[in-house]
Amino acid sequence: MGEKGLISETTTINVTELFISIQGEGIDAGAPSFFIRTSGCSIGCKYCDTKYSWSRGKEWKIDDLIEEVLKAEIPEVVITGGEPVEEKNLSVLISKLSCIDSIRKITLETCGHIFRDDLGAPKLKIVLSPKPPTMEVEFPERALQKFLTTYEDTYIKFAVYDKNDLEIIRQFTYRNAKLIRKPIVIQPLEVPFENYVETSKRVSELVIADREFINDFEVKIIPQLHKLIGLK
């Protein structure tokens, strides 16, 4: 491969959209953030709310993305998708973002189905969000174990719609209790056939009723804040 090909492979990221909003999910909910939504996802979740990101987006030079981040003047950057870990140059982007003094935190949101060991950076937090049975995709237990073992600043955000989803999560959590270092986030799953407020209430009651689980682990029930208040 010639020099031109090498440069191309290491300097671009495929992106669906860039936008500014609040972090609507997980422990950092409410934080003003600059979002980089990468393109492409091979998982195929049944009720994915960003299916428009599955197809190929726009190829961005990483240095141009950095310029957009700097212009936004937002100290927290969220890399989401699609599925960011499928982007070959993800580690380059994370490394360059981490070198920017004005960036306080970089959050990588991934389903955790593909493990990568090249993502370490001082400002990086990894949020593992494996999909439950309701999404009709495989639960990536072995890849999740590798993430939790390799990266210290990592936590799991489980989407839950019903009791079956919660049971899968319970089983994983108890089997891997020694790897759980952060609070476990339970996020009510948005589906097209039920009002999200009703889903959030029902899931919250389901989790609270599981006294053993919430006593054995630090559990936080956090709905998708941006959807509740009507933001992107």
Side-chain angles (χ1 to χ4, degrees):
M1 183 181 293
E3 183 178 353
K4 184 176 180 181
L6 286 172
I7 292 172
S8 175
E9 286 185 1
T10 57
T11 58
T12 62
I13 294 284
N14 200 261
V15 175
T16 293
E17 60 183 346
L18 307 174
F19 61 97
I20 295 170
S21 185
I22 63 167
Q23 171 58 278
E25 302 179 358
I27 294 173
D28 296 319
S33 302
F34 183 89
F35 287 80
I36 300 173
R37 187 183 302 283
T38 63
S39 300
C41 181
S42 64
I43 304 171
C45 296
K46 183 176 182 179
Y47 300 117
C48 176
D49 58 359
T50 55
K51 287 185 178 180
Y52 61 88
S53 68
W54 291 5
S55 57
R56 191 166 184 82
K58 176 184 176 182
E59 203 75 23
W60 277 76
K61 290 182 180 180
I62 289 179
D63 287 346
D64 290 341
L65 280 177
I66 297 298
E67 287 299 315
E68 293 297 313
V69 172
L70 291 172
K71 284 192 296 185
E73 298 183 324
I74 303 288
E76 300 202 8
V77 177
V78 179
I79 304 173
T80 186
E83 177 44 75
V85 300
E86 295 182 2
E87 171 53 56
K88 61 184 177 181
N89 298 320
L90 177 63
S91 61
V92 180
L93 174 62
I94 290 172
S95 178
K96 289 201 171 190
L97 286 171
S98 190
C99 292
I100 300 173
D101 290 341
S102 60
I103 297 300
R104 180 187 304 139
K105 183 190 301 177
I106 306 155
T107 300
L108 170 64
E109 298 182 343
T110 173
C111 294
H113 72 298
I114 297 176
F115 172 71
R116 289 180 59 164
D117 63 1
D118 64 338
L119 304 177
K123 299 177 183 178
L124 179 66
K125 171 184 285 188
I126 298 177
V127 181
L128 301 170
S129 185
K131 304 311 177 188
T134 295
M135 284 293 204
E136 298 184 2
V137 295
E138 183 178 356
F139 191 84
E141 180 153 352
R142 295 192 67 180
L144 294 175
Q145 291 169 337
K146 290 180 180 179
F147 272 110
L148 291 168
T149 301
T150 304
Y151 299 105
E152 183 174 353
D153 198 358
T154 304
Y155 75 89
I156 304 184
K157 172 169 58 67
F158 292 113
V160 172
Y161 176 73
D162 58 20
K163 191 173 183 179
N164 186 38
D165 290 344
L166 183 59
E167 182 56 29
I168 294 297
I169 289 162
R170 288 180 96 267
Q171 291 175 14
F172 171 85
T173 305
Y174 278 101
R175 281 195 301 267
N176 298 279
K178 292 182 179 179
L179 299 178
I180 307 297
R181 296 181 298 271
K182 307 282 186 178
I184 296 168
V185 173
I186 302 295
Q187 178 176 290
L189 176 66
E190 183 186 37
V191 293
F193 47 83
E194 184 176 53
N195 179 276
Y196 190 58
V197 172
E198 291 302 313
T199 304
S200 298
K201 179 181 178 182
R202 182 174 50 75
V203 169
S204 296
E205 291 172 347
L206 181 65
V207 176
I208 293 170
D210 191 341
R211 296 293 201 274
E212 180 182 41
F213 185 52
I214 64 175
N215 275 279
D216 288 344
F217 298 95
E218 184 179 358
V219 176
K220 296 182 180 294
I221 307 165
I222 306 178
Q224 292 175 291
L225 178 62
H226 58 296
K227 293 184 178 179
L228 292 175
I229 63 178
L231 290 177
K232 186 175 181 65

